[in-house]
Amino acid sequence: MNPSKKLRRLEVDAVVREEERDDTGEAVDVSIIMPVYNAGPWLDECLQAIVDQDFAGSMELSVFDDASTDDSRKVVEGWVEKLKTRGISVVISGHNSVQPRGVGFAKNKAVSQSCGRHLCFQDADDIMLPQRVRLQYEMSLLQPNSLIGCRVKRLPEESTERYTRWINTITQDQLMTQVYTSHGPTVVMPTWFCSRQWFLKVGPFDEGGKGVPEDLLFFYQSLRHGGGVSRVNQCLLIYRYHEKAATHSISEETIWKQRVDFLQERVLGVWEDFTIWNAGKQGRKLYRCLSPVNQKKVKAFCDVDERKIKKRFYTFEESKEKPKPKIPILHYKHASAPFIICVKLDMTGGVMEENLNSLLLKEGTDYYHFS
């Protein structure tokens, strides 16, 4: 067999099952996009939740199996008749390569083989609540150029408490202003819902494979295109936490670099000068990672720690300039806006937040959170 033909055959791999899209052969209202890789233990719960959706429009499930070595494909195939009875058409494909190609690749394949006017992204280890598709679809109709998220319930409940609280409590305005924090996208990828038209304008996902934050890169690209971010303020997804989740394969340094680059592109490139709030490790690291142009815009560090303040200056020893740059260290009450806040949210018992609020500044204008 011709090698190129053999490769194409592996990509669709003999098990491609497609039910009728709808009675007219036209696109359906919503395609549920589900990449699968060794998700056997969770698929029954996930698929039952899709069957239980209360959405009255037309739906399709598009699954791409990224070289699973367990029974994931068979489990999905076993649900086809039940999904069909519910009125949900199914497209299943995948590949049998030795190695998986990655989440971005699998998502792109699932999108390309689907036909929905709207896309509902679903991780195979999560569980959508019955009203998810209906409520996100209704919001997406009103905001066709936005990524729509929702509130979530974490499973196990005690896992990632601070992160889960952030997901569920940031305001609509903060969905746009807190995009530079270490938490990642302000609406988490397992809750994304958008129009196909918007996905095609922004996408596809990066297909770099393991270690690439394809969701963060797509999120930033959506913002670059002027896209909005919204959230249905109800819990519509049970978001499972486990050690095999793909997110654990992405290093903090990879995320850090993407965040710094995006901050410089969107904020620091516009500001004439600014103060870094945190004269400690994180603040100094941010300073060192800035471009030379943006380093010169740093007018001061600020802090509450008297030991740091008494040092009066941070000396950038790695600099090749002579004399080496010295940046003042001030008490936050004596510093001036705008600020980049390099203190993690929800980690000081509310003290940092109270100090910041006391200055009567506006988030997104006078300061941005980075840590």
Side-chain angles (χ1 to χ4, degrees), residues 10-25:
L10 286 174
E11 294 293 346
V12 295
D13 188 46
V15 185
V16 177
R17 185 173 296 174
E18 183 173 354
E19 304 300 335
E20 293 161 359
R21 304 245 167 153
D22 65 11
D23 292 339
T24 65

Side-chain angles (χ1 to χ4, degrees), residues 1 3-14 94-95:
M1 180 183 294
S4 62
K5 291 184 177 179
K6 183 177 181 180
L7 179 60
R8 287 196 297 272
R9 181 178 175 184
L10 286 174
E11 294 293 346
V12 295
D13 188 46
H95 68 100

